[in-house]
Amino acid sequence: MIPRSRTVSLLALGAICLAACSTEKPSEPQLKPLTLKEQVSNVVKSPDGYTVNWAGVIANANPWHFGEHVVATVVGRDAAGAEVVKMEQPLDAVPPGGSLAFTGQATAAQKPVKVTIGYRPAQWRPAVRIASAFKQFPVSRVQTLPQKNGSYLITGYIANPYQLPASTLVVNALLRDKGGKLLGGGSTFADDVKAGRPPRFILTIEGLPAGAKVARTEVTARTWGSTARPFEDLALGGAVPLHTIKPSTAPFAVDRGSQILPGKQ
């Protein structure tokens, strides 16, 4: 027989354990930080001093979360190490398990000899749907046209795979050499992109290093904004069916797929 005093102690201990368990919060998943996979910058003389162009690719290894409110920090320093240009560039939301290309430029009064690109940590937001629901925006008929002044004119068409129209899309073009090295890039916008009506985009990329040989152009499009809301609204609205035209031929009189061939029983 357990003494009364010990029984009271055991009940009190159980109550303390229950209270502690009830207030314990479930552990949150460990999210991996964004990764700046590639970056390149070029400095060219301009009427106002020097123009710094940059391009980069940032990746999100988390398959269930958007990276929001990401800000790239571009800093240029002269030969003495003094800061001559600094730009903070808000980036668009980085999709789950995907990557984000970005480009930009700034003007400096003195010539930077070293340019570095960093970024602030992202704020994480769970995706409302699985990663495969966030479809890429198809790009077609891309042309890369070198110009006499050393710049490149990029043209093509961007499509919307969703049923809802996309109010604004950012189109990024990255130029690479034969070995895949990133040489530079440029961006433009496409507004009110509806399914079945792909608009044409045109952008110019300047400031590539002398002697650069462009062998490949990568063009991607994404929703505009530091949060995932525009992309999620499109995904929740549903994608356009792959086949929207009814067959024009008559159906088979006999479903040959259900017949049993002689000797094949």
Side-chain angles (χ1 to χ4, degrees), residues 36-203:
L36 187 60
K37 294 175 58 179
E38 297 178 279
Q39 61 172 301
V40 67
S41 59
N42 301 299
V43 180
V44 294
K45 191 72 176 68
S46 65
D48 299 328
Y50 295 89
T51 299
V52 183
N53 301 298
W54 63 83
V57 178
I58 198 165
N60 178 8
N62 302 293
W64 304 105
H65 289 76
F66 277 92
E68 296 185 329
H69 303 291
V70 184
V71 178
T73 303
V74 183
V75 178
R77 300 183 182 275
D78 62 13
E83 184 179 293
V84 294
V85 63
K86 182 177 181 179
M87 174 68 73
E88 292 189 344
Q89 179 185 8
L91 302 182
D92 300 311
V94 189
S99 61
L100 177 81
F102 64 94
T103 68
Q105 70 175 35
T107 302
Q110 300 178 14
K111 182 179 181 180
V113 298
K114 182 179 181 181
V115 179
T116 58
I117 302 176
Y119 65 92
R120 296 178 188 170
Q123 297 180 21
W124 299 107
R125 172 174 172 173
V128 297
R129 298 198 64 184
I130 59 175
S132 60
F134 299 98
K135 301 183 180 298
Q136 295 183 353
F137 297 88
V139 180
S140 62
R141 291 176 280 177
V142 175
Q143 289 185 310
T144 304
L145 307 173
Q147 306 298 298
K148 293 182 179 180
N149 62 355
S151 64
Y152 286 83
L153 182 68
I154 315 297
T155 66
Y157 292 83
I158 182 70
N160 182 3
Y162 300 97
Q163 297 189 31
L164 297 177
S167 58
T168 303
L169 296 179
V170 184
V171 182
N172 277 290
L174 301 180
L175 301 181
R176 299 183 181 276
D177 64 10
K178 187 176 180 180
K181 180 182 177 181
L182 181 61
L183 300 175
S187 304
T188 189
F189 292 90
D191 297 324
D192 193 25
V193 182
K194 296 182 175 65
R197 297 171 56 185
R200 185 171 183 247
F201 65 85
I202 302 175
L203 62 90

Side-chain angles (χ1 to χ4, degrees), residues 259-265:
Q259 292 181 342
I260 300 177
L261 299 178
K264 298 295 183 181
Q265 298 183 7

Side-chain angles (χ1 to χ4, degrees), residues 159-254:
N160 182 3
Y162 300 97
Q163 297 189 31
L164 297 177
S167 58
T168 303
L169 296 179
V170 184
V171 182
N172 277 290
L174 301 180
L175 301 181
R176 299 183 181 276
D177 64 10
K178 187 176 180 180
K181 180 182 177 181
L182 181 61
L183 300 175
S187 304
T188 189
F189 292 90
D191 297 324
D192 193 25
V193 182
K194 296 182 175 65
R197 297 171 56 185
R200 185 171 183 247
F201 65 85
I202 302 175
L203 62 90
T204 301
I205 300 177
E206 301 176 336
L208 295 186
K213 296 182 179 180
V214 176
R216 182 161 54 98
T217 303
E218 292 179 1
V219 180
T220 57
R222 65 177 188 271
T223 53
W224 181 51
S226 60
T227 71
R229 182 63 182 272
F231 208 172
E232 289 184 331
D233 288 345
L234 292 174
L236 290 173
V240 176
L242 295 179
H243 305 289
T244 58
I245 302 175
K246 294 182 179 180
S248 57
T249 58
F252 292 117
V254 179

